[in-house]
Amino acid sequence: QVKKFLIWCGKMIKKGCENFFVVSKNEEVILTMPVLVLILLLLLIFWIVLPALIVGLFCGFRYHFRGS
């Protein structure tokens, strides 16, 4: 069971590094980061990242995911 869990964790980490969170404004890409980094930031500094994302929506930023 532990081996299956570790294999699953490895697959999720790989997917998190292959897919990207993209921030853009006026069709210009401002920031691109792996989804894994976004998840870690949300876990570690939730009270800073989430309000920044919400304020960014009101300032005209667009968010989307890119990857397979």
Side-chain angles (χ1 to χ4, degrees):
Q1 294 294 347
V2 173
K3 185 177 179 179
K4 287 182 182 180
F5 176 72
L6 292 175
I7 291 172
W8 178 82
C9 286
K11 287 180 183 178
M12 291 298 112
I13 290 172
K14 183 179 179 196
K15 282 185 181 182
C17 291
E18 291 174 347
N19 297 307
F20 295 91
F21 177 72
V22 180
V23 179
S24 60
K25 185 173 184 177
N26 300 329
E27 303 300 323
E28 180 183 340
V29 174
I30 306 296
L31 175 72
T32 302
M33 73 174 79
V35 173
L36 183 63
V37 173
L38 176 65
I39 292 170
L40 289 174
L41 286 173
L42 283 171
L43 289 174
L44 297 174
I45 51 175
F46 176 81
W47 297 110
I48 296 172
V49 174
L50 191 63
L53 291 174
I54 294 170
V55 169
L57 283 174
F58 290 110
C59 293
F61 289 92
R62 295 188 59 189
Y63 308 117
H64 65 274
F65 293 97
R66 185 182 70 206
S68 55

